[in-house]
Amino acid sequence: MVTIATANVNGIRAAYRNGMGEWLAQRTPEILLLQEVRATDEILEGLLGEGWNSVHQACDIKGRAGVAIATTLPFKAVRVGLGNGEPEVPVDTGRWVEADIELPTGETITVVSVYIHSGTAGTPKMDQKFAHLEKVDARMRELLESGAHVVVGGDVNIAHQNVDIKNWKGNLKSAGFLPEERAYLDRWFEAGWVDLGRRHGGEGPGPYTWWSNRGQSFANDAGWRIDYQLVSPALAELASNVHVDRADSYEARWSDHAPLLADYAL
């Protein structure tokens, strides 16, 4: 089995101060997809320690975004960003990194760590999100057409259906739940991508992966399911033990997101 975990760490330095290192030692995934790293390569590598290979795209805007892939397995190739060889606009940096990883069997798996803009409805930030989603959409098509085993994991910042957000009625006009955003997920699933969190999580509501720090959102499980492992069809059939690793209490969390893990029979 190969275990893949994806986690928005909400700042990796703070996450490690709050217990992420202990969690990682207990869960021991072979592949770790990280979002909102908000640190340098050197800081990331220092926190992970020996035994990890990593590729990281920091955001050009200090203190924002940042995505990484860390693995105990060898890299065969890495690709950073969605600029197709051209510089990306700063707000799009730190949001997409992919790697081909060599498995113990000699096979290869392609993994992506993705962090899509949160957006704010009715503002230029929403235009930036949709512009970036168009680039993501094009790459998702290419990856699916490649026929490779692919996992696109991370914080997509879009809840797909009513069961993916506790207060869906109150968020129909909110970024992260707009019909135009949800349509991208519809398109990906119709094309063949498999949403492991929903396939293995039942009909819902939930299981959620992010909770606001306001009020009693975590205690009341008033969350959003916005962290995904989107998987190519053949690989999805090899997945098991897919689960949201929700902390036992608010105090035990090391991020405002919970990790999503899956085992793959590879």
Side-chain angles (χ1 to χ4, degrees), residues 8-171:
N8 180 318
V9 298
N10 195 23
I12 196 162
R13 285 169 287 192
Y16 264 77
R17 286 196 300 270
N18 291 320
M20 180 182 168
E22 291 80 359
W23 171 86
L24 189 57
Q26 292 171 354
R27 299 297 184 269
T28 63
E30 284 81 12
I31 300 172
L32 182 61
L33 311 177
L34 302 173
Q35 303 87 46
E36 278 203 272
V37 174
R38 302 207 301 265
T40 64
D41 292 353
E42 293 74 20
I43 289 171
L44 171 64
E45 292 167 5
L47 289 170
L48 289 171
E50 295 184 2
W52 290 95
N53 303 306
S54 64
V55 57
H56 172 225
Q57 187 195 35
C59 185
D60 289 348
I61 304 171
K62 189 175 180 179
R64 294 183 63 176
V67 288
I69 298 168
T71 179
T72 58
L73 302 170
F75 284 130
K76 295 187 73 174
V78 298
R79 294 170 292 277
V80 176
L82 291 171
N84 290 321
E86 299 295 326
E88 295 181 286
V89 296
V91 76
D92 282 352
T93 56
R95 297 189 180 276
W96 185 277
V97 64
E98 55 184 81
D100 302 330
I101 295 174
E102 184 176 342
L103 301 171
T105 60
E107 292 184 282
T108 300
I109 184 172
T110 297
V111 297
V112 179
S113 182
V114 57
Y115 175 53
I116 291 174
H117 302 238
S118 54
T120 304
T123 74
K125 289 184 176 181
M126 208 66 220
D127 298 330
Q128 293 170 347
K129 182 173 187 175
F130 283 122
H132 185 64
L133 275 166
E134 282 297 302
K135 297 176 185 177
V136 171
D137 186 58
R139 184 59 182 151
M140 293 287 280
R141 285 197 303 272
E142 292 173 350
L143 287 168
L144 196 62
E145 290 169 359
S146 74
H149 283 333
V150 185
V151 176
V152 178
D155 180 359
V156 175
N157 263 317
I158 303 170
H160 184 217
Q161 298 174 323
N162 294 352
V163 292
D164 298 315
I165 175 172
K166 181 68 172 285
N167 181 23
W168 65 268
K169 290 182 180 178
N171 283 283

